[in-house]
Amino acid sequence: MPTVVRAGNTNSLVDVPGIRVGQAQRRGDGWLSGVTVVLPPPDGAVGGVDVRGGGPGTRETDVLDPRKLVEKVHGIVLTGGSAFGLASIDGVVSRLADDGIGFPVGNGVVPIVPGAVIFDLARGGDFRSTPDAALGAAAYDAATAHVEIGSVGAGTGAVAGGLAGGVGTASAVLSDGYTVAALAVVNAAGSAVDPRTGVLHGISDGLPGEFDLRAPAPEEVERWIGPSEPGRFNFNTTLGVIATDAPLSKAGCGGLASAAHDGLARALRPAHTITDGDTVFALSTGVGEPLTGIDQRAVQIVAADCLSRAIAHGVLAASDRRDARSYRALFPSAIR
């Protein structure tokens, strides 16, 4: 079975050729939210999804069912704003249509853009300051072959088990040449941190030298107060996108998204609760005959590891805020 050789050149989602990421956010005047857009090559990518937990907010996920007509998607939108934030997808759809990208219909195209939301309402002060079509369009316009991490895009107002959450990413190159990568928006009811040691759960899946951290001082762990009561940080949701250049069918992408949820559950404890709407999308840009059977296994295993690593990077890079302290601020002795 193929093994991991190394991280990709940027250790991010854009290590999969043709993938771009755009982010836009607003802070201040009642705002603390944003949008993250993942764009495949113009001809699209085969897509899949797995939605878990009791509180999802999604759009166009049904089209990813292998029984449905459309084979490829033209973008994935991850957004803050709960159900209100789904409006941001309209801006991405409009931009894609203007660029002539989408499913051909008559004399035009219909862009296929699934998306999902996190709950970050009122974290900036105003309950209705939520991403709209204009902010989605701004994220689309900002798309590049670079991924900024931390408190940006859809992770701007994120909270992870009482700590500041954010956007994280990671990648891996397999011995057979395929690349697998993940992007996460970490906004979990569960904790990314082991309450006994202060160590990030996700770093256990790190590649050699990836996380230059040590266990924080015991006194820092003792001072840290995580979620002290069940439901204190209710209504959350962590989102993920897995991308690979391994050729996969729609069913294969669905299986890839399902397998990646294992990495989410390793990095965030608990996961998939009644107030999380944890959603993972998967994209394949590969060409040729889709992998089948056991040949998909290595890609699935590495996808779970990549998502776990991405979640750790998102929490580690998050900015310190008045309403949610950052990992770096609470555990400074862990940073080498």
Side-chain angles (χ1 to χ4, degrees), residues 10-21 36-39 78 146-147 168-171 179-184 240-244 281 283:
T10 68
N11 196 23
S12 76
L13 195 74
V14 299
D15 287 331
V16 176
I19 297 291
R20 295 180 296 140
V21 175
T36 298
V37 177
V38 176
L39 297 175
L78 313 177
H146 169 74
V147 185
T169 189
S171 70
T179 298
V180 182
L183 181 145
V241 176
I242 306 296
T244 183
F281 297 96
L283 299 174

Side-chain angles (χ1 to χ4, degrees), residues 1-8 171-181 244-246 291 295-303 305-306:
M1 185 174 73
T3 58
V4 174
V5 176
R6 58 177 175 84
S171 70
V173 178
L174 303 184
S175 56
D176 60 7
Y178 292 132
T179 298
V180 182
T244 183
D245 55 4
L291 301 181
D295 292 335
Q296 301 177 75
R297 188 170 66 176
V299 178
Q300 292 179 339
I301 292 170
V302 173
D305 292 344
C306 282

Side-chain angles (χ1 to χ4, degrees), residues 13-336:
L13 195 74
V14 299
D15 287 331
V16 176
I19 297 291
R20 295 180 296 140
V21 175
Q23 304 192 90
Q25 56 279 321
R26 288 189 63 182
R27 302 183 181 92
D29 296 326
W31 282 84
L32 192 65
S33 192
V35 181
T36 298
V37 177
V38 176
L39 297 175
D43 61 348
V46 180
V49 69
D50 189 331
V51 182
R52 302 192 187 180
T58 61
R59 172 168 153 173
E60 292 275 36
T61 51
D62 281 354
V63 77
L64 299 176
D65 186 321
R67 298 168 298 177
K68 307 306 182 186
L69 170 66
V70 176
E71 282 293 317
K72 293 186 175 182
V73 302
H74 306 100
I76 300 290
V77 174
L78 313 177
T79 179
S82 191
F84 303 109
L86 290 172
S88 65
I89 302 174
D90 291 337
V92 178
V93 170
S94 180
R95 282 288 199 268
L96 284 164
D98 290 344
D99 289 339
I101 298 172
F103 183 77
V105 178
N107 295 324
V109 295
V110 177
I112 307 301
V113 185
V117 305
I118 68 167
F119 185 98
D120 58 2
L121 297 178
R123 289 184 183 159
D126 184 352
F127 194 88
R128 292 297 301 275
S129 290
T130 56
D132 56 11
L135 201 60
Y140 178 90
D141 293 342
T144 64
H146 169 74
V147 185
E148 185 178 357
I149 64 174
S151 303
V152 295
T156 299
V159 175
L163 297 179
V167 173
T169 189
S171 70
V173 178
L174 303 184
S175 56
D176 60 7
Y178 292 132
T179 298
V180 182
L183 181 145
V185 179
V186 191
N187 185 63
S191 178
V193 179
D194 187 328
R196 300 163 297 180
T197 64
V199 173
L200 288 165
H201 293 305
I203 70 172
S204 63
D205 290 316
L207 299 180
E210 181 174 11
F211 295 99
D212 190 17
L213 300 170
R214 54 186 166 226
E219 58 269 24
E220 292 174 357
V221 179
E222 291 173 7
R223 283 196 301 266
W224 175 58
I225 302 175
S228 61
E229 60 198 56
R232 181 180 174 192
F233 299 103
N234 266 355
F235 302 114
N236 293 82
T237 293
T238 293
L239 306 176
V241 176
I242 306 296
T244 183
D245 55 4
L248 296 172
S249 65
K250 285 180 74 175
C253 283
L256 184 62
S258 294
H261 268 287
D262 286 356
L264 189 157
R266 291 200 297 264
L268 298 166
R269 306 180 190 178
H272 311 142
T273 75
I274 194 66
T275 55
D276 287 299
D278 300 331
T279 300
V280 177
F281 297 96
L283 299 174
S284 168
T285 63
V287 296
E289 194 68 23
L291 301 181
T292 60
I294 200 170
D295 292 335
Q296 301 177 75
R297 188 170 66 176
V299 178
Q300 292 179 339
I301 292 170
V302 173
D305 292 344
C306 282
L307 187 53
S308 179
R309 293 161 51 208
I311 288 168
H313 281 298
V315 175
L316 189 59
S319 301
D320 197 40
R321 307 200 309 259
R322 183 173 57 184
D323 67 305
R325 302 302 308 280
S326 71
Y327 182 85
R328 289 176 175 271
L330 287 171
F331 305 110
S333 66
I335 312 302
R336 293 185 186 275

